[in-house]
């Protein structure tokens, strides 16, 4: 069997980097251990280069199990870009906190290896292994503040809920296999389409599979781990969980929903639509009462997942235009979400690391301490809410656009919920913004020293948020070309 | 009802009973041992279904190592013994949820696969499996190796005793600004030295 | 051989695992329950492979079961490590004590 | 400048304030005075440019788009960067730059707590770009961006420099407006797909109209209606306005009343009517009824106010009711009236808010009872100005307020597009109630004047030295004062410019 | 030939310029700006005389009209800035500029020392401008502008002494009451213009076109009735007709020259003028005519009664104005176009005279009350005799202007009565009755002021020249102006010929056929002849010269004598007690013992009239109508409070805030799902999965 090495070059590059990091960590001592971060960064850049080279290609290897097309490339670039940003916000955090740096970066990279395989995987088995590769290092990273009860608790909750949902998913997968006799996504779709009659058990199996990804994307009612885990983990890990891990979940969900179970869309679409409604409403409503910024961001990210689930509710079997639009909307939203949410976490890290502050009220007067950080947070939060001229607006726009491609009553219902929720969300986003800018600062707050890397990341993301807000074409030109099933 | 079915039924009864005992046993070690029995029983069902290789792997990996791992885990954590200690307040909830799940799933399974029978039971040979791993499944396999490495390193990282790097920031002055608890009332009961809220770290170390 | 037997056994074990996961207080026992859930899926896969699709070239059912065994083992290790760390921090492995974070 | 080719002029005028905001942002905060002067310079240059644009505008072809720019922008969704200006845009555009300039001038001396002119002026300049852009964007997506762009700076303006209830007011303003605009966005998208022409161009869509089913027209119009009606604001979507106006700093109130509210009417006229004519016809009676309820209701609320600024704020509800009555008439005269009322309200109420702001600075209260009258004795020039503007606001002929109100009622008596056949009686009733509204309007303004201006000043102020109108106030107010008179005497200044454009618009509506 | 007419726009413009000039430079001039006003008004006056001369002598076939397209209004309609000069305009020019000029001159002395002297003159000029603008307007919209400006100026001048709350209230009351009438006017104008738009006119407000269309029968009856009734509502308010006259007496709060201006020339006449302007439209509908006539009749009688019980001289005059305006309105209502505007014309002069005279008296005794005066004839001779002239004119004493004009009104009523029109009878008989009332209260006032002892606390002395001169001029005019339309006027040069266009002529007496013979005859007019001028006029129209109606003359004389005598009985010896009623009681007894006739008169005429009718009228005015007005005000305010506090703040805003609150409430409940217990999370997760499985099975 011939292997298309170029197709998996990014994965290989990242894997090699991970191993290099591990090796370097063994040989470095003391402060020198900080150097693993740049090594990881370099490796990521190499992977990005390889991925960029693949742009425009249509490749399939490992017997069609692994596919590279524009969709996959966009996703991979999203993951690798997020990785770079997370490396940037991690550096000082882990260097100063006396963590196991080398191991952290190794685990992080391993997790991202799983992620970048995700959008290319066209086989349930590969998807499963990739998902676990994303998850297992994440379980450990969540517990990396070893002496912290919060961190241990975060890891335990994350782990237990994660394994439970994986078990449910596996049960579902086993049933799907029983129905179709294959784990190949396209094969499953073909078998289901051929079977004609739809057994309730098959639908149940589909739902069980959805649960596994629902956990990753923290959809209601699989979201319970998210706020606790984000709050307890080291903050860069929380950022990674909130963005990259969630994106990976979406990558998997897109693949199974729009390839494997596409013939069943008429059944699962309404269910996912309802989940979307529940997710965004519950996430937003609970976020209203949060006083801890990280928990607020956590619930906000739950709500954001709800928005991203809306396009799933629009899917219809055989309706290529609608389904493509839905996939593109999700993809667009994910990219926008990555930009703004990592940025928000970046600012949170900058403030928290220096002052230990995470309570909302203590963000008062941040604007006087650090206008850059306050400005950054403002832009990110407004973007999360969807105010112009930020990329968040276009993310919502993309979803509405998908919903209106071919209007159904259900789509209208979803839109109404989207609108109402967008407004609710602004309640708490504005609360933060207001606190930062309009309230009086506390006495004796130390000045923020975010450090070069973090500042750079925040600035880049902030500029990105605004630039993409003005020229969303930079993303949408790419996403609109992508079609999930082009070579699948 | 063929011979296979009869044998399977016996093994299944054994496995199911052991499983029930695993989750209800009042004694930690008994629970672990019943788990071993359950896992072995599962290996037995594999054998009945002619999945010899898998049965072997099951025995080696699970009965041989995982169950032992759990025993070690139990011993290391010196958990107390007795039902009250072992079961939480959620037993009723657990019963309802798992019972409902079982009823729903088994109803669906019976209605779908109720009449399905295999005339003869035959599995792929070990050779087929071996070839398949390195022909069709090489990518997940390699990825799995990465996963196992990460799990290994991670497990060590978390389980090892501290000797320097601990994920603990340097103890420094602490800023208490807000009069409201950060997450919940238990926050102030934290053991000293806990890293939350994070402390002001010096620019360099 | 009847297919429904192994399937029901798998379902039963799975649900027993669910029960254990929710009801058990000791974290290690919870972990044991989780393992049981994971392993029960294998019965399904093997049954489908050997009873329904014995001729499938890619052997995906058994292969999946193999991978699940490996991953489950890895998760058991990681889970135990997390529990050990937790135990070291608060000298208890009771899952219901772990509720510092809520709301 | 050649209006056919000088699209750059519009682009420069539009983005100059934004660039200026960036420039202000990098100036060190300690250069307080320089920052304020720089803002005056930026807005001044921008205003000069707009004057030049106005001067070279081809008034003979005011129905056509001039100073156009049309380049691809977001190719994936076919959105284009399409700017232009016709007779409807021009007065509003001009007003935006004038008011912002005057506000910048005013700010050189007056800035509420907590000061910080850099942030304030930078926000104001951002706001300027947003407001101005709304009036010249001819692509729905671009329009929406400018529309929303306004929210954020205004939110901060109210929230940071506002009155005691600024937190509540700012959030309310933001959420309320946002709520409507998201529905509007959904409607825009629906229009895009229903038209099926892969274009967001307002012109192109207007030419294609009507399209889609009747149901589509109704729903799409409803979405757009929500967005614009909240901004206008129409009863019963007005409750954000009194709070926002009352709490906003003077400059914020001026710009809110002077320009922001205009965006709603402009949107109705520019987008909702021509693109969704059938929906518009169906909604017209409802708009008319809500408008008249707003007129009566706003006036009644004014009568109940004890706070000068809040009274002025509520008066906007009534005045914008007249504007919307014009829109509801669905004929050329009605739209003319609506647009004139827009401009007039912008100038007059903007000026009233200036006065209310200065009043507050002098008396440190806005409670009518505390001021207690006698202002004409204490600070006579100021009192005269208040009388003048109040009288203009109550719609006295010869001043700007009259033309919008009268023409709106006049137009509503014979609504266009066949509405009259079905709803003639209703519209007659609307006119009568609107006319009664003018009495109520006169009532509350006279009452205000009586309680603030007339009589002898109470003891607590008698010995207090209060400044009469200061030089900087004369500088920043005189243009508005003159404009109030000029528009009243020469309504052709606005009617004439708009005439061809409105006729053009009615062509799309089939009227 | 029409040189001056081309420049007619200068007439209103000059006062406007003077307003601005006074405001700008007045303070620095020696005369504090008054000289500017006087010069401008004088120029306007001269111009008006010229225009009147040209208009009257030219015998224009068509009114002189010039207009500019001032602004498009959308839909191809335009707003014109235009002037319409015809006899009516010229007459109003004369009246307004004359009275205004006199008031300007008079005010120089009267207002001397006022702190807002300059402002006062500026406003006077503006007031004059506004009225002239209304008069010259060639379209309803422009007229409306003038009309509203008149209202504003009256507000500003009535509340001139704004330090006092009662004065502020008076100004507000005037403005709001007339503004209320303006609702009708505005809507009426809109209705009529809508009718014109329906006819395809691009200038839907144009008066000439409107009148022509109405005469040609192109306008629907509905439009005319609705439009004119609404416009009449505006006139009712502006011209102080019942029941919207309530603002007029209060308007006495302003300086007396302002009262003169308001009552004689610039404000209350606006309504009559507008009705006259629209007479061709009015005449199309019997309903409208009837309503106008009835309102006029009610006003002329009950308004007059109210004057009986006043002590304040200005209020007596004010109620007399109400009554006289009632005559004019009633005349319009019975087709007496010429009668109405002729009365308007003459009334302007003598009412201005009376007010200025009153001002002179008030200036001298520092009180408005006639009970504080007495014996002024000796100390203020010029004021005395001019005031008497004015009184005679007002009372309609033969050979004064008021006599000729009031008789015209009565004759008009009589002519229509002869056609079987009830309102004609009403106008005639009630008009006569009111003449008695008018004479009585004016006589009472004169006796109390000029006869008897000086009851004031001051030593009254004659006013200065600047105040007396206008009185004299106006006194002359109060007599002379009547001869423009009297048996002494020539056939060709008389008021009617000057002011009534041929169209109006025809409409005025449509029942007079081409032969010149009235088809029927009125009670008194049976002997009168209407001269046909068809043969000698170039336009083939009807012109009439009034003939002596000796029967009417006799009745008028009797009424006058009876009223004066009656008044002399009670007031001829002055007012010994402060309370006139008590004094009347004593006088009654004396009268009863001597003349049974007196007693009868007192018991059955004076007592009922004074004590019952007048009190009822006063009561109705003060309690019912004022009560309604006040009640409406209070109700409005209550409605306002309710709207704001309950509806706006609770319901609508409460709904908004309630949504936010309930979101917070839900949030607080919902967040407790996050119990912190991981096993509950797991249970919820599994339960959620079960629900999903069941749900999707249900979807299937």
């Amino acid at each position: 069997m011939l292997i298309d090495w170029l197709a998996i070059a990014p994965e290989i590059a990242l894997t090699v980097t991970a191993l290099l990091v591990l090796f370097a960590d063994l040989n470095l001592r003391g402060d020198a251990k900080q150097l693993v971060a740049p090594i990881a960064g370099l490796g990521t850049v190499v992977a990005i280069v390889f991925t960029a080279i693949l742009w425009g290609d249509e490749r399939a290897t490992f017997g069609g199990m692994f596919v590279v097309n524009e969709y996959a490339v966009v996703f991979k670039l999203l993951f690798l870009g997020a990785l770079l940003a997370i490396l940037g916000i991690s550096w000082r955090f882990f260097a100063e906190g006396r963590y196991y740096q080398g191991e952290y970066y190794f685990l992080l990279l391993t997790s991202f290896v799983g992620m970048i395989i995700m959008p290319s995987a066209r086989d349930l088995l590969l998807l499963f292994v990739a998902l676990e590769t994303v998850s297992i290092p994440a379980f450990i990273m969540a517990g990396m503040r070893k002496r912290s009860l919060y961190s241990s608790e975060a890891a335990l909750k994350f782990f237990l809920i994660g394994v439970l949902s994986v078990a449910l998913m596996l049960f579902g997968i086993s049933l799907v296999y029983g129905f179709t006799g294959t784990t190949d996504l396209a094969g499953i779709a073909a078998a289901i389409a051929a079977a004609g009659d739809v057994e309730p058990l098959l639908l149940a199996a589909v739902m069980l599979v959805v649960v596994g990804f629902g956990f990753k994307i923290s959809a209601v009612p699989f979201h319970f781990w998210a706020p606790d885990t984000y709050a307890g983990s080291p903050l860069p890990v929380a950022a990674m969980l909130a963005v990259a891990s969630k994106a990976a979940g979406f990558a998997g969900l897109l693949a199974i929903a729009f390839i494997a179970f596409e013939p069943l869309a008429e059944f699962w679409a309404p269910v996912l639509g309802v989940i979307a409604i529940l997710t965004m409403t519950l996430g937003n409503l609970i976020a209203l009462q949060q006083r801890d910024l990280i928990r607020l961001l956590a619930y906000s990210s739950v709500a954001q997942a709800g928005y991203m689930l809306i396009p799933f509710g629009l899917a219809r079997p055989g309706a290529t235009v609608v389904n493509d639009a839905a996939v593109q909307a999700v993809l667009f939203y994910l990219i926008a979400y990555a930009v703004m949410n990592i940025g928000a976490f970046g600012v949170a890290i900058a403030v928290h690391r220096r002052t230990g502050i995470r309570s909302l009220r203590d963000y008062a007067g941040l604007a006087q301490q650090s206008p850059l950080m306050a400005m950054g947070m403002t832009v990110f939060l407004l973007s999360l809410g969807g105010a112009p001229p930020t990329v968040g607006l276009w993310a919502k726009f993309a979803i509405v656009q998908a919903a209106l491609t071919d209007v159904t009553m259900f789509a209208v219902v979803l839109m109404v919920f989207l609108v109402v929720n967008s407004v609710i969300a602004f309640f708490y986003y504005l609360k933060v913004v207001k606190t930062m800018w309009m309230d009086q600062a506390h006495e004796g707050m130390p000045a923020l020293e975010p450090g070069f890397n973090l500042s750079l990341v925040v600035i880049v993301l902030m500029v990105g948020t605004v630039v993409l807000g003005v020229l969303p074409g930079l993303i949408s030109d790419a996403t609109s070309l992508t079609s999930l099933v082009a070579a699948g | 009802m063929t011979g296979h079915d009869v044998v399977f039924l016996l093994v299944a009864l054994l496995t199911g009973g052991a499983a029930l005992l695993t989750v209800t046993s009042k004694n930690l070690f008994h629970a672990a041992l019943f788990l071993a029995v359950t896992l072995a029983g599962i290996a037995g069902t594999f054998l009945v279904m002619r999945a010899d290789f898998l049965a072997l792997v099951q025995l080696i990996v699970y009965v041989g190592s995982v169950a032992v791992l759990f025993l070690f885990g139990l011993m290391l954590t010196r958990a107390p013994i007795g039902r009250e200690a072992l079961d939480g307040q959620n037993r009723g909830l657990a019963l309802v949820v798992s019972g409902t799940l079982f009823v729903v799933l088994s109803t669906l399974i019976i209605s779908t696969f109720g009449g399905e029978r295999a005339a003869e039971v035959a599995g792929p040979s070990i050779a087929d499996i071996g070839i398949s791993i390195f022909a069709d499944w090489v990518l997940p396999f390699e990825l799995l190796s990465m996963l196992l490495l990460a799990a290994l390193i991670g497990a060590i990282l978390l389980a090892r005793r501290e000797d320097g790097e601990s994920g603990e920031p340097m103890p420094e002055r602490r800023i208490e600004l807000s009069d409201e608890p950060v997450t919940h009332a238990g926050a102030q009961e934290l053991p000293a030295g806990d890293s939350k809220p994070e402390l002001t770290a010096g620019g360099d170390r | 051989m009847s297919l429904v037997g192994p399937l029901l056994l798998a379902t039963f074990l799975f649900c027993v695992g669910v029960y254990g996961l929710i009801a058990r207080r000791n974290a290690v026992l919870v972990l044991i329950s989780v393992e049981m859930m994971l392993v029960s899926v294998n019965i399904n896969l093997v049954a489908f492979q050997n009873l329904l699709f014995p001729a499938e070239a890619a052997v995906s059912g058994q292969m999946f079961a193999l991978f699940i065994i490996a991953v489950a083992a890895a998760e058991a290790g990681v889970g135990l490590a997390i529990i050990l760390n937790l135990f070291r921090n608060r000298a208890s492995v009771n899952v219901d004590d772990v509720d510092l974070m809520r709301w | 400048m050649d209006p056919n080719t000088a699209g750059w002029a519009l682009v420069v005028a539009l983005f100059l304030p934004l660039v200026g905001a960036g420039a202000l942002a990098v100036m060190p905060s300690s250069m307080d005075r320089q920052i304020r002067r720089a803002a005056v310079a930026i807005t001044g240059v921008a205003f000069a440019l707009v004057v030049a644009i106005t001067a070279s505008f081809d008034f003979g072809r005011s129905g056509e788009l001039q100073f156009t720019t049309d380049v691809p922008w977001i190719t994936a969704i076919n959105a284009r960067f399409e700017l232009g200006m016709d007779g409807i845009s021009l007065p509003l555009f001009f007003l935006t730059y004038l008011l912002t300039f005057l506000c910048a001038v005013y700010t050189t001396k007056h800035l509420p707590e907590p000061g910080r002119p850099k942030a304030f002026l930078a926000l104001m300049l951002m706001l300027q770009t947003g407001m101005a852009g709304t009036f010249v964007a001819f692509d729905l997506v671009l329009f929406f961006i400018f529309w929303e762009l306004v929210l954020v700076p205004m939110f901060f303006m109210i929230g940071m420099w506002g009155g005691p209830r600024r937190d509540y007011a700012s959030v309310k303003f933001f959420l309320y407006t946002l709520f409507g605009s998201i529905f509007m966005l959904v409607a825009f998208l629906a229009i895009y797909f229903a038209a099926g022409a892969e274009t967001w161009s307002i012109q192109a869509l207007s030419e294609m109209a009507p399209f889609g089913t009747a149901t589509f027209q109704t729903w799409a119009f409803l979405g757009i209606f929500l967005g614009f009606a909240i901004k206008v604001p129409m009863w019963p979507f007005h409750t954000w306005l009194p709070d926002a106006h009352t709490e906003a700093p003077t400059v914020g109130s001026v710009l809110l009343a002077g320009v922001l509210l205009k965006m709603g009417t402009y949107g109705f006229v520019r987008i909702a009517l021509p693109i969704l004519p059938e929906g518009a016809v169906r909604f017209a009676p409802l708009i008319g009824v809500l408008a008249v309820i707003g007129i009566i209701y706003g006036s009644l609320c004014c009568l109940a106010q004890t706070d000068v600024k809040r009274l002025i704020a509520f008066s906007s509800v009534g005045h914008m009711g007249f504007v919307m009555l014009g829109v509801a008439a669905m004929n050329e005269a009605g739209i003319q009236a609506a647009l004139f009322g827009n401009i007039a309200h912008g100038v007059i109420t903007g000026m009233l808010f200036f006065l209310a702001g200065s009043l507050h600075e002098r008396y440190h209260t806005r409670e009518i009872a505390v001021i207690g009258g006698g202002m004409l004795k204490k600070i006579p020039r100021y009192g005269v100005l208040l009388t003048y503007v109040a009288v203009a606001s109550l719609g006295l002929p010869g001043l700007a307020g009259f033309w919008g109100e009268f023409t709106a009622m006049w137009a509503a008596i014979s609504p266009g597009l066949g509405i009259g056949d079905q709803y003639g009686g209703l519209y007659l009733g609307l006119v009568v109630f609107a006319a009664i509204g003018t009495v109520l309007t006169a009532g509350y303004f006279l009452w205000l004047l009586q309680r603030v201006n007339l009589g002898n000043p109470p003891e607590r102020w008698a010995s207090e030295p209060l400044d009469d109108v200061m030089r900087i106030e004369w500088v920043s107010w005189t243009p508005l004062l003159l404009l109030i008179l000029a528009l009243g005497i020469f309504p052709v200044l606005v009617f004439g410019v708009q005439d061809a454009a409105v006729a053009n618009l009615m062509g799309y509506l089939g009227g | 030939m029409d040189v001056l007419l081309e420049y007619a726009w200068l007439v209103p413009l000059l006062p406007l310029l003077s307003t601005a000039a006074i405001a700008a430079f007045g303070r620095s001039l020696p005369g504090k700006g008054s000289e500017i006003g006087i010069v401008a008004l004088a120029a306007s006056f001269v111009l008006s005389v010229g225009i009147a001369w040209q208009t009257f002598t030219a015998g224009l076939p068509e009114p002189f009209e010039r207009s500019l397209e001032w602004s498009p209004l959308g839909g191809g309609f335009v707003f014109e800035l235009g002037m319409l000069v015809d006899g009516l305009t010229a007459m109003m020019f004369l009246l307004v500029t004359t009275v205004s000029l006199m008031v300007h001159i008079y005010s120089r002395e009267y207002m001397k020392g006022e702190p807002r002297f300059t402002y006062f003159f500026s406003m006077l000029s503006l007031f004059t401008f506004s009225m002239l603008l209304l008069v010259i307007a060639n379209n309803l919209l422009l007229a409306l502008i003038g009309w509203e400006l008149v209202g504003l100026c009256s507000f500003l001048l009535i509340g001139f002494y704004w330090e006092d709350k009662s004065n502020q209230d008076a100004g507000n009351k005037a403005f709001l009451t007339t503004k209320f009438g303006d609702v009708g006017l505005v809507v009426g104008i809109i209705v009529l213009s809508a009718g014109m738009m329906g006819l395809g006119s691009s200038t839907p407000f144009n008066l000439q076109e409107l009148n022509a269309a109405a005469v040609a029968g192109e306008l629907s009856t509905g439009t005319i009735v609705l439009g004119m009734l609404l416009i009449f509502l505006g006139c009712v308010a502006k011209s102080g007709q019942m029941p919207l006259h309530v603002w007029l007496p209060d308007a006495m709060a302003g300086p007396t020259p302002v009262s003169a201006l308001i009552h004689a020339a610039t404000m209350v006449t606006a309504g009559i003028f507008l009705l006259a302007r629209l007479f061709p439209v009015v005449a199309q509908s019997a309903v409208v005519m009837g309503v106008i006539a009835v309102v006029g009749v009610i006003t002329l009688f009950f308004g007059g009664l109210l004057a009986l019980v006043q002590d304040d001289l200005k209020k007596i005059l004010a109620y007399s104005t109400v009554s006289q305006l009632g005559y004019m309105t009633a005349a319009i209502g019975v087709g007496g176009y010429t009668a109405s505007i002729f009365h308007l014309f003459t009334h302007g002069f003598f009412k201005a005279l009376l007010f200025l005279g009153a001002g002179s008296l008030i200036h001298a005794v520092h009180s408005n009350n006639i009970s504080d005066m007495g014996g002024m004839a000796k100390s203020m001779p010029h004021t005395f005799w001019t005031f008497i002239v004015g009184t005679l004119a007002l009372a309609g004493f033969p050979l004064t202007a008021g006599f000729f004009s009031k008789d015209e009104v009565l004759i008009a009523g009589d002519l229509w009565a002869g056609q079987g029109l009830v309102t004609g009878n009403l106008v005639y008989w009630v008009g006569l009755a009111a003449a008695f009332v008018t004479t009585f209260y004016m006589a009472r006032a004169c006796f109390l002021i000029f006869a008897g002892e000086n009851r004031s606390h001051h030593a009254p002395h004659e006013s200065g020249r600047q105040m007396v001169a206008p009185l004299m001029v106006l006194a002359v005019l109060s007599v002379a102006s009547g001869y423009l339309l009297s048996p002494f006027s020539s056939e060709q040069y008389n008021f009617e010929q000057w002011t009534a266009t041929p169209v109006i002529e025809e409409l005025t007496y449509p029942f007079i056929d081409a032969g010149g013979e009235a088809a029927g005859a009125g009670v008194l007019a049976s002997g009168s002849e209407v001269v046909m001028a068809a043969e000698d006029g170039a336009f083939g129209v009807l012109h009439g010269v009034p003939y002596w109606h000796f029967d009417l003359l006799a009745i008028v004389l009797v009424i006058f004598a009876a009223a004066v005598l009656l008044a002399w009985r009670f007031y001829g010896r002055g007012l010994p007690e402060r309370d006139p009623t008590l004094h009347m009681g004593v006088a009654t007894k004396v009268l009863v013992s001597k003349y049974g006739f007196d007693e009868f008169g007192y018991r059955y005429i004076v007592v009922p009239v004074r004590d019952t009718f007048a009190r009822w009228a006063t009561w109705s005015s003060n309690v019912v109508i004022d009560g309604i007005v006040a009640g409406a005000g209070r109700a409005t305010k209550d409605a306002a409070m309710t709207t704001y506090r309950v509806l706006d703040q609770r319901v609508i805003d409460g709904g908004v805030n309630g949504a936010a609150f309930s979101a917070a409430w839900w949030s607080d409940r919902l967040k407790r799902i996050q119990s912190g217990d991981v096993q509950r999370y797991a249970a919820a997760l599994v339960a959620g999965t079960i629900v999903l499985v069941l749900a999707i099975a249900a979807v299937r």
Side-chain angles (χ1 to χ4, degrees), chain D residues 138-289:
Chain D
F138 275 82
D139 180 283
L140 284 181
V141 179
L142 191 59
F143 173 87
F144 184 79
I145 291 298
F146 282 124
W147 173 277
E148 293 283 289
L149 185 60
V150 169
L151 290 190
V152 178
M154 190 45 92
F155 167 76
F156 280 109
M157 264 199 186
I158 300 173
M160 296 183 70
W161 288 272
R165 288 173 74 229
R166 57 177 180 265
D167 285 7
Y168 173 73
S170 57
V171 174
K172 193 173 180 181
F173 161 76
F174 194 98
L175 293 181
Y176 229 117
T177 331
L178 184 81
F179 181 75
S181 53
I182 301 178
F183 276 108
M184 186 171 82
L185 175 65
V186 174
F188 282 178
L189 275 156
I191 289 170
Y192 176 76
F193 286 107
E198 310 258 296
T199 177
W200 299 93
S201 164
I202 293 173
Q203 293 284 91
L205 287 169
S206 303
E207 273 156 29
M208 288 170 61
F211 46 78
T213 60
T215 327
F216 159 78
Q217 291 260 343
T218 310
W219 285 101
F221 194 91
L222 181 67
I224 291 191
F225 174 80
L226 274 178
F228 291 146
I230 285 175
K231 198 77 155 194
V232 166
M234 288 182 75
W235 187 88
F237 307 112
H238 66 280
T239 57
W240 65 268
L241 178 129
D243 289 318
H245 267 332
T246 313
E247 300 305 324
T250 302
V251 165
S253 299
V254 171
L255 291 177
L256 251 181
V259 187
L260 250 69
L261 306 190
K262 275 70 243 178
M263 289 161 53
T265 327
Y266 176 81
F268 269 111
V269 172
R270 174 69 78 201
I271 294 171
L273 264 50
I275 297 183
L276 297 167
E278 292 173 7
V281 167
R282 209 160 298 135
F283 270 79
L286 176 68
I287 293 176
V289 169

Side-chain angles (χ1 to χ4, degrees), chain E residues 132-172:
Chain E
L132 291 172
L133 180 68
L134 165 64
V135 168
I136 199 175
N138 80 324
N139 64 68
L140 279 170
L141 193 43
L142 193 57
L144 177 67
I145 293 174
W147 178 284
E148 296 275 352
L149 286 176
V150 165
L152 174 76
C153 294
S154 69
F155 162 72
L156 292 173
L157 284 171
I158 291 169
F160 182 75
Y161 300 115
W162 41 252
E163 283 85 351
D164 278 347
K165 176 140 191 332
S166 60
N167 297 344
Q168 305 164 6
D169 287 340
N172 285 359

